[in-house]
Amino acid sequence: MGSLRLVDISKRFDRVEALKDVDLEIYDGEYAVVLGPTGAGKTTLLRIIAGLLRQDNGEVYINEVQVDDLPPEERGVALFFQNFALFPHMTVLDNVAFSLRVKGLSLEESERKAMDILRMVHLDHRAYSYPRELSGGMQQRVALARTIAAGVDILLLDEPLSQLDAKIKSEIQYELRDLAKSLGLTVLHVTNDVEEALAVADRIAILNKGEIVQVGTPVEIMENPKTAFVASFIAEMNLMEGVVEESSENRVVVDIGGGFKVESSRNGFKKGELVIVGVKPSSFKIGGDGKNGLTGKVEDWVFSFGFRRVTVQLDNGSRVSVKTERKDIERGSSISLTVDPRDVYLFPYLKGGLRTVLAEVSGVF
Amino acid sequence: MPEVKLVNIVKRFGNITALRGINLTVENGEYVCILGPSGCGKTTLLRIIAGLLKPDEGQVYIDGEDVTHKPPEYRGVGFVFQSIALFPHMNSWENVLYGPTVKGLDKSISHRIAREIMRTLKTIDYSGLYPGELSGGIAQMIAIARALATGAKLLLLDEPLGALDPRIRVDLRYELRRIVKGLGLTAIHVTHNQEEALTIADRIVVMRSGMVEAYDTPENLYWHPKNLFVADFIGKVNVLEGFIKKALTGGKALVELTGGISIEVYAKGFSEGDKVVVAVRPENFEILDRSEADKPNLLRGVVTRARFMGDYYRYDVTLESGERVTVNTPLYRSEKIQVRKKGEPVLVRFDPEKALVYAYPKRGIERELSIEV
Ligand SMILES: Nc1ncnc2c1ncn2[C@@H]1O[C@H](COP(=O)(O)OP(=O)(O)O)[C@@H](O)[C@H]1O
Ligand SMILES: Nc1ncnc2c1ncn2[C@@H]1O[C@H](COP(=O)(O)OP(=O)(O)O)[C@@H](O)[C@H]1O
Ligand SMILES: [Mg+2]
Ligand SMILES: [Mg+2]
């Protein structure tokens, strides 16, 4: 059994409000991810749940019992630290078996169980190596095995895959989810990596500057990001500023400057209002005579896994990227784009406009 | 303008041979990525180009001049590391100004250079901030500005985006390429991230264990990798085993897979009976209903894992042969795609031109794909 409920959690460090009124519920057996950029407050949140840090405000419930006055070891959670440390003088097997020994299992029993867990993280062949003989990624898998060996129902994982090479990570992440599911664990996993979140999560909560800004299943979040920040954080999204020119049921026309108008099938924006328009690189069609025609010049293109990502300097001065399987796009050539109104996102305008959104996402521009 | 040529570079550390005879030419104005698993010798190679390390054998030429025994200052290179190495007690402006100043340039010239570079890199607004006050992305841009302010036309970047958040890494790689192309620089950029290399480089050097496995454009490496290691290292491939059953016309051949199914592929230079592997990338597989069984190159299987990944669905399918393959179905190819569920019986299909065929590796598939030689 393992459910987790956070009510109104706030935490301040001197000048930084690390967490602001965080409410979050994680169900028994659920794999939940808190996703947000570095500095969002993810580690702080896990430390509060684990009992290593006291919140200024709010309550933590584990299995519907308030645990705020319980010490870490009595909360029934295991925390995988972002900056984990293995015991350097113990073998990989002993590092993992240690948690089991502490719980009172016999030497033989704990080694057998430790070996089972090492097999799950593909490290059984290195059971008798010492940590220093392993790569950073392997050490991280040992630390993960050790967390699982704690044998509790709730795992708190702080960026558990960050040290792995891209290629290994893209395999292990799915296995981590399968493993948690097969053991019936409840997991709260925090990361700054969207792909990792999508690979493992039942539900994702997006954390930005200490606040949870959206919670939903991967499909809900990816298909309906609520703000320009979320949209741009979870995927490459072309964002442009504009003014609503017409607004009716399921049809909003936005003037994005330079004579360009784009139509969106979204609702809820008023005539004259400033908005942020979002279009995914894969939503643009090159050529054709669909709606929302835009023209520009091809500035550059790069190749990725079987497609090209084309940078287009639009004739209204903004720059967009376009994903295409076409191979006949030349640098410097003129290009016309269209986009289906159903694929045009609209987001509320923010003080400071697009610059603020982009600065929040990437800290650049 | 810098062109870099490496001739038979060898470097040993005690009994480790970190580089085993590297030959490589980077053209003037080119953006080249060095891609390989950790420990394959990428940093060592970059340090040798920079002059921070001497090779045991071989020569380094920059613009046709043998600089093997010349110090780093002489080579006109700017170096950027993964760990952001700004001077902590200097603000951004002073960090950038450092290079032109120690070169002994006139104060007004130094200031002009620093200002121009910082404007180009859109970092001028951060001039007064100290490294501790900057986000990782900005700090790395300042480090690049500092490297460029020395007047370097050759930029050497060692995992420059490695320490940044994944989302920032994506934005910055396009920005980096834009800067390098805009200023007409030559760049050599080390990374272990496949997607980063593909989307930033004009050409990619694939390294393994101190050797160059391949050197080609991203598109060629992706579509025509010269061996199974390169095919798998540049993104993943699903490997199916079989043998050549019959040569067909037009460069095609019929391959009988382990499961007994015959498929059509393009394969040249093989004889009937040759053992081969057929490699297909996850995004080059298509998933069909069992009812669409009239097309060629169909494999029957059952979905064993299904994940929504934003831009695509990722399925693991266990084939009737027992082999497990990964299939990525992009969401942009059609507006409404049918989502498959775990346990669903399906057919997996691929176009013959999207399959890569190699002779069965003598030392077995696992050894062939291993990052050690
Ligand atoms: N012990 C501390 N003292 C002061 N500030 C802290 C401390 N721990 C975290 N912070 C600040 O709180 C914010 C959230 O930090 P953290 O929870 O580590 O974020 P994340 O894990 O999402 O990167 C950051 O601005 C960080 O600098
Ligand atoms: N200064 C050194 N002393 C001893 N061995 C080294 C030194 N620098 C690198 N090596 C070894 O050389 C090999 C290549 O290292 P490196 O160039 O850092 O690889 P990469 O950058 O691809 O990860 C590794 O086996 C590494 O351990
Ligand atoms: Mg953290
Ligand atoms: Mg290195």
PDB file of all heavy atoms in Angstrom, chain A residues 10-31:
ATOM      1  N   SER A  10       4.424  24.719   1.385  1.00  0.00           N
ATOM      2  CA  SER A  10       5.254  25.868   1.019  1.00  0.00           C
ATOM      3  C   SER A  10       6.587  25.788   1.742  1.00  0.00           C
ATOM      4  O   SER A  10       6.669  25.282   2.863  1.00  0.00           O
ATOM      5  CB  SER A  10       4.583  27.184   1.416  1.00  0.00           C
ATOM      6  OG  SER A  10       3.403  27.344   0.679  1.00  0.00           O
ATOM      7  N   LYS A  11       7.611  26.282   1.069  1.00  0.00           N
ATOM      8  CA  LYS A  11       8.938  26.303   1.682  1.00  0.00           C
ATOM      9  C   LYS A  11       9.732  27.478   1.134  1.00  0.00           C
ATOM     10  O   LYS A  11       9.771  27.710  -0.075  1.00  0.00           O
ATOM     11  CB  LYS A  11       9.681  24.987   1.376  1.00  0.00           C
ATOM     12  CG  LYS A  11      11.088  24.928   1.904  1.00  0.00           C
ATOM     13  CD  LYS A  11      11.130  24.743   3.394  1.00  0.00           C
ATOM     14  CE  LYS A  11      12.527  24.958   3.945  1.00  0.00           C
ATOM     15  NZ  LYS A  11      12.535  24.923   5.421  1.00  0.00           N
ATOM     16  N   ARG A  12      10.341  28.219   2.017  1.00  0.00           N
ATOM     17  CA  ARG A  12      11.134  29.358   1.596  1.00  0.00           C
ATOM     18  C   ARG A  12      12.563  29.201   2.121  1.00  0.00           C
ATOM     19  O   ARG A  12      12.771  28.761   3.258  1.00  0.00           O
ATOM     20  CB  ARG A  12      10.492  30.634   2.169  1.00  0.00           C
ATOM     21  CG  ARG A  12      11.306  31.888   2.020  1.00  0.00           C
ATOM     22  CD  ARG A  12      10.598  33.060   2.691  1.00  0.00           C
ATOM     23  NE  ARG A  12       9.515  33.583   1.874  1.00  0.00           N
ATOM     24  CZ  ARG A  12       9.693  34.430   0.852  1.00  0.00           C
ATOM     25  NH1 ARG A  12      10.907  34.814   0.510  1.00  0.00           N
ATOM     26  NH2 ARG A  12       8.680  34.889   0.178  1.00  0.00           N
ATOM     27  N   PHE A  13      13.539  29.513   1.298  1.00  0.00           N
ATOM     28  CA  PHE A  13      14.939  29.607   1.752  1.00  0.00           C
ATOM     29  C   PHE A  13      15.337  31.067   1.599  1.00  0.00           C
ATOM     30  O   PHE A  13      15.429  31.546   0.456  1.00  0.00           O
ATOM     31  CB  PHE A  13      15.884  28.794   0.874  1.00  0.00           C
ATOM     32  CG  PHE A  13      15.631  27.310   0.877  1.00  0.00           C
ATOM     33  CD1 PHE A  13      15.029  26.697  -0.220  1.00  0.00           C
ATOM     34  CD2 PHE A  13      16.004  26.520   1.953  1.00  0.00           C
ATOM     35  CE1 PHE A  13      14.822  25.325  -0.239  1.00  0.00           C
ATOM     36  CE2 PHE A  13      15.795  25.150   1.930  1.00  0.00           C
ATOM     37  CZ  PHE A  13      15.195  24.551   0.841  1.00  0.00           C
ATOM     38  N   ASP A  14      15.565  31.741   2.645  1.00  0.00           N
ATOM     39  CA  ASP A  14      15.912  33.171   2.559  1.00  0.00           C
ATOM     40  C   ASP A  14      15.047  33.894   1.523  1.00  0.00           C
ATOM     41  O   ASP A  14      13.866  34.043   1.696  1.00  0.00           O
ATOM     42  CB  ASP A  14      17.403  33.377   2.221  1.00  0.00           C
ATOM     43  CG  ASP A  14      18.301  32.575   3.155  1.00  0.00           C
ATOM     44  OD1 ASP A  14      17.953  32.465   4.355  1.00  0.00           O
ATOM     45  OD2 ASP A  14      19.316  32.050   2.677  1.00  0.00           O
ATOM     46  N   ARG A  15      15.690  34.277   0.409  1.00  0.00           N
ATOM     47  CA  ARG A  15      14.966  35.059  -0.587  1.00  0.00           C
ATOM     48  C   ARG A  15      14.168  34.194  -1.558  1.00  0.00           C
ATOM     49  O   ARG A  15      13.320  34.685  -2.289  1.00  0.00           O
ATOM     50  CB  ARG A  15      15.968  35.913  -1.383  1.00  0.00           C
ATOM     51  CG  ARG A  15      16.397  37.170  -0.655  1.00  0.00           C
ATOM     52  CD  ARG A  15      17.445  37.887  -1.491  1.00  0.00           C
ATOM     53  NE  ARG A  15      18.605  37.035  -1.742  1.00  0.00           N
ATOM     54  CZ  ARG A  15      19.497  37.239  -2.702  1.00  0.00           C
ATOM     55  NH1 ARG A  15      19.355  38.244  -3.518  1.00  0.00           N
ATOM     56  NH2 ARG A  15      20.531  36.438  -2.841  1.00  0.00           N
ATOM     57  N   VAL A  16      14.493  32.876  -1.612  1.00  0.00           N
ATOM     58  CA  VAL A  16      13.863  32.031  -2.626  1.00  0.00           C
ATOM     59  C   VAL A  16      12.616  31.349  -2.084  1.00  0.00           C
ATOM     60  O   VAL A  16      12.665  30.665  -1.064  1.00  0.00           O
ATOM     61  CB  VAL A  16      14.838  30.915  -3.076  1.00  0.00           C
ATOM     62  CG1 VAL A  16      14.263  30.156  -4.255  1.00  0.00           C
ATOM     63  CG2 VAL A  16      16.203  31.482  -3.382  1.00  0.00           C
ATOM     64  N   GLU A  17      11.502  31.506  -2.795  1.00  0.00           N
ATOM     65  CA  GLU A  17      10.316  30.719  -2.462  1.00  0.00           C
ATOM     66  C   GLU A  17      10.428  29.420  -3.239  1.00  0.00           C
ATOM     67  O   GLU A  17      10.055  29.353  -4.410  1.00  0.00           O
ATOM     68  CB  GLU A  17       9.063  31.477  -2.894  1.00  0.00           C
ATOM     69  CG  GLU A  17       8.307  32.083  -1.735  1.00  0.00           C
ATOM     70  CD  GLU A  17       6.938  32.567  -2.181  1.00  0.00           C
ATOM     71  OE1 GLU A  17       6.908  33.586  -2.889  1.00  0.00           O
ATOM     72  OE2 GLU A  17       5.941  31.924  -1.823  1.00  0.00           O
ATOM     73  N   ALA A  18      10.974  28.382  -2.614  1.00  0.00           N
ATOM     74  CA  ALA A  18      11.264  27.148  -3.337  1.00  0.00           C
ATOM     75  C   ALA A  18       9.990  26.388  -3.674  1.00  0.00           C
ATOM     76  O   ALA A  18       9.909  25.733  -4.716  1.00  0.00           O
ATOM     77  CB  ALA A  18      12.211  26.276  -2.534  1.00  0.00           C
ATOM     78  N   LEU A  19       8.984  26.436  -2.817  1.00  0.00           N
ATOM     79  CA  LEU A  19       7.693  25.785  -3.094  1.00  0.00           C
ATOM     80  C   LEU A  19       6.569  26.699  -2.640  1.00  0.00           C
ATOM     81  O   LEU A  19       6.640  27.296  -1.569  1.00  0.00           O
ATOM     82  CB  LEU A  19       7.597  24.443  -2.355  1.00  0.00           C
ATOM     83  CG  LEU A  19       8.572  23.353  -2.784  1.00  0.00           C
ATOM     84  CD1 LEU A  19       8.477  22.160  -1.835  1.00  0.00           C
ATOM     85  CD2 LEU A  19       8.313  22.902  -4.220  1.00  0.00           C
ATOM     86  N   LYS A  20       5.542  26.780  -3.500  1.00  0.00           N
ATOM     87  CA  LYS A  20       4.415  27.664  -3.182  1.00  0.00           C
ATOM     88  C   LYS A  20       3.116  26.874  -3.256  1.00  0.00           C
ATOM     89  O   LYS A  20       2.685  26.470  -4.336  1.00  0.00           O
ATOM     90  CB  LYS A  20       4.335  28.799  -4.207  1.00  0.00           C
ATOM     91  CG  LYS A  20       5.463  29.794  -4.115  1.00  0.00           C
ATOM     92  CD  LYS A  20       5.356  30.818  -5.248  1.00  0.00           C
ATOM     93  CE  LYS A  20       6.724  31.077  -5.837  1.00  0.00           C
ATOM     94  NZ  LYS A  20       6.702  31.865  -7.046  1.00  0.00           N
ATOM     95  N   ASP A  21       2.489  26.626  -2.126  1.00  0.00           N
ATOM     96  CA  ASP A  21       1.165  26.000  -2.076  1.00  0.00           C
ATOM     97  C   ASP A  21       1.043  24.790  -2.996  1.00  0.00           C
ATOM     98  O   ASP A  21       0.163  24.734  -3.860  1.00  0.00           O
ATOM     99  CB  ASP A  21       0.072  27.008  -2.478  1.00  0.00           C
ATOM    100  CG  ASP A  21       0.127  28.261  -1.634  1.00  0.00           C
ATOM    101  OD1 ASP A  21       0.518  28.148  -0.459  1.00  0.00           O
ATOM    102  OD2 ASP A  21      -0.190  29.349  -2.159  1.00  0.00           O
ATOM    103  N   VAL A  22       1.911  23.837  -2.800  1.00  0.00           N
ATOM    104  CA  VAL A  22       1.878  22.659  -3.662  1.00  0.00           C
ATOM    105  C   VAL A  22       0.855  21.643  -3.147  1.00  0.00           C
ATOM    106  O   VAL A  22       0.921  21.206  -2.010  1.00  0.00           O
ATOM    107  CB  VAL A  22       3.271  22.006  -3.746  1.00  0.00           C
ATOM    108  CG1 VAL A  22       3.199  20.644  -4.428  1.00  0.00           C
ATOM    109  CG2 VAL A  22       4.236  22.925  -4.479  1.00  0.00           C
ATOM    110  N   ASP A  23      -0.111  21.325  -4.003  1.00  0.00           N
ATOM    111  CA  ASP A  23      -1.085  20.272  -3.727  1.00  0.00           C
ATOM    112  C   ASP A  23      -0.859  19.174  -4.740  1.00  0.00           C
ATOM    113  O   ASP A  23      -0.776  19.448  -5.930  1.00  0.00           O
ATOM    114  CB  ASP A  23      -2.520  20.789  -3.936  1.00  0.00           C
ATOM    115  CG  ASP A  23      -2.955  21.709  -2.822  1.00  0.00           C
ATOM    116  OD1 ASP A  23      -2.851  21.287  -1.652  1.00  0.00           O
ATOM    117  OD2 ASP A  23      -3.377  22.849  -3.124  1.00  0.00           O
ATOM    118  N   LEU A  24      -0.778  17.952  -4.268  1.00  0.00           N
ATOM    119  CA  LEU A  24      -0.551  16.856  -5.209  1.00  0.00           C
ATOM    120  C   LEU A  24      -0.986  15.563  -4.558  1.00  0.00           C
ATOM    121  O   LEU A  24      -0.720  15.333  -3.370  1.00  0.00           O
ATOM    122  CB  LEU A  24       0.940  16.784  -5.562  1.00  0.00           C
ATOM    123  CG  LEU A  24       1.345  15.827  -6.670  1.00  0.00           C
ATOM    124  CD1 LEU A  24       0.734  16.255  -7.997  1.00  0.00           C
ATOM    125  CD2 LEU A  24       2.875  15.801  -6.822  1.00  0.00           C
ATOM    126  N   GLU A  25      -1.683  14.724  -5.326  1.00  0.00           N
ATOM    127  CA  GLU A  25      -2.109  13.445  -4.781  1.00  0.00           C
ATOM    128  C   GLU A  25      -1.587  12.338  -5.686  1.00  0.00           C
ATOM    129  O   GLU A  25      -1.705  12.417  -6.913  1.00  0.00           O
ATOM    130  CB  GLU A  25      -3.634  13.404  -4.726  1.00  0.00           C
ATOM    131  CG  GLU A  25      -4.122  12.204  -3.984  1.00  0.00           C
ATOM    132  CD  GLU A  25      -5.576  12.318  -3.528  1.00  0.00           C
ATOM    133  OE1 GLU A  25      -6.210  13.368  -3.816  1.00  0.00           O
ATOM    134  OE2 GLU A  25      -6.049  11.371  -2.908  1.00  0.00           O
ATOM    135  N   ILE A  26      -0.983  11.338  -5.067  1.00  0.00           N
ATOM    136  CA  ILE A  26      -0.470  10.215  -5.843  1.00  0.00           C
ATOM    137  C   ILE A  26      -1.128   8.951  -5.321  1.00  0.00           C
ATOM    138  O   ILE A  26      -1.123   8.680  -4.115  1.00  0.00           O
ATOM    139  CB  ILE A  26       1.061  10.148  -5.739  1.00  0.00           C
ATOM    140  CG1 ILE A  26       1.629  11.416  -6.392  1.00  0.00           C
ATOM    141  CG2 ILE A  26       1.615   8.908  -6.422  1.00  0.00           C
ATOM    142  CD1 ILE A  26       3.016  11.732  -5.961  1.00  0.00           C
ATOM    143  N   TYR A  27      -1.722   8.198  -6.261  1.00  0.00           N
ATOM    144  CA  TYR A  27      -2.526   7.047  -5.864  1.00  0.00           C
ATOM    145  C   TYR A  27      -1.652   5.827  -5.614  1.00  0.00           C
ATOM    146  O   TYR A  27      -0.533   5.736  -6.107  1.00  0.00           O
ATOM    147  CB  TYR A  27      -3.574   6.749  -6.942  1.00  0.00           C
ATOM    148  CG  TYR A  27      -4.329   7.977  -7.366  1.00  0.00           C
ATOM    149  CD1 TYR A  27      -4.207   8.475  -8.673  1.00  0.00           C
ATOM    150  CD2 TYR A  27      -5.115   8.679  -6.465  1.00  0.00           C
ATOM    151  CE1 TYR A  27      -4.881   9.623  -9.065  1.00  0.00           C
ATOM    152  CE2 TYR A  27      -5.798   9.833  -6.838  1.00  0.00           C
ATOM    153  CZ  TYR A  27      -5.671  10.303  -8.144  1.00  0.00           C
ATOM    154  OH  TYR A  27      -6.316  11.439  -8.524  1.00  0.00           O
ATOM    155  N   ASP A  28      -2.241   4.888  -4.910  1.00  0.00           N
ATOM    156  CA  ASP A  28      -1.564   3.623  -4.644  1.00  0.00           C
ATOM    157  C   ASP A  28      -1.203   2.945  -5.977  1.00  0.00           C
ATOM    158  O   ASP A  28      -2.069   2.790  -6.847  1.00  0.00           O
ATOM    159  CB  ASP A  28      -2.513   2.734  -3.819  1.00  0.00           C
ATOM    160  CG  ASP A  28      -1.869   1.401  -3.474  1.00  0.00           C
ATOM    161  OD1 ASP A  28      -0.637   1.371  -3.292  1.00  0.00           O
ATOM    162  OD2 ASP A  28      -2.591   0.395  -3.398  1.00  0.00           O
ATOM    163  N   GLY A  29       0.049   2.609  -6.152  1.00  0.00           N
ATOM    164  CA  GLY A  29       0.472   1.901  -7.363  1.00  0.00           C
ATOM    165  C   GLY A  29       0.720   2.807  -8.559  1.00  0.00           C
ATOM    166  O   GLY A  29       1.034   2.329  -9.644  1.00  0.00           O
ATOM    167  N   GLU A  30       0.615   4.077  -8.360  1.00  0.00           N
ATOM    168  CA  GLU A  30       0.788   5.007  -9.478  1.00  0.00           C
ATOM    169  C   GLU A  30       2.268   5.344  -9.697  1.00  0.00           C
ATOM    170  O   GLU A  30       3.051   5.382  -8.749  1.00  0.00           O
ATOM    171  CB  GLU A  30       0.023   6.305  -9.193  1.00  0.00           C
ATOM    172  CG  GLU A  30      -0.044   7.222 -10.414  1.00  0.00           C
ATOM    173  CD  GLU A  30      -0.852   8.499 -10.154  1.00  0.00           C
ATOM    174  OE1 GLU A  30      -0.942   8.940  -8.993  1.00  0.00           O
ATOM    175  OE2 GLU A  30      -1.381   9.036 -11.121  1.00  0.00           O
ATOM    176  N   TYR A  31       2.619   5.620 -10.944  1.00  0.00           N
ATOM    177  CA  TYR A  31       3.957   6.122 -11.258  1.00  0.00           C
ATOM    178  C   TYR A  31       3.775   7.588 -11.643  1.00  0.00           C
ATOM    179  O   TYR A  31       3.260   7.891 -12.713  1.00  0.00           O
ATOM    180  CB  TYR A  31       4.589   5.329 -12.408  1.00  0.00           C
ATOM    181  CG  TYR A  31       6.100   5.441 -12.435  1.00  0.00           C
ATOM    182  CD1 TYR A  31       6.914   4.308 -12.375  1.00  0.00           C
ATOM    183  CD2 TYR A  31       6.725   6.684 -12.507  1.00  0.00           C
ATOM    184  CE1 TYR A  31       8.301   4.417 -12.387  1.00  0.00           C
ATOM    185  CE2 TYR A  31       8.108   6.793 -12.518  1.00  0.00           C
ATOM    186  CZ  TYR A  31       8.887   5.663 -12.455  1.00  0.00           C
ATOM    187  OH  TYR A  31      10.259   5.770 -12.463  1.00  0.00           O
TER     188      TYR A  31
END
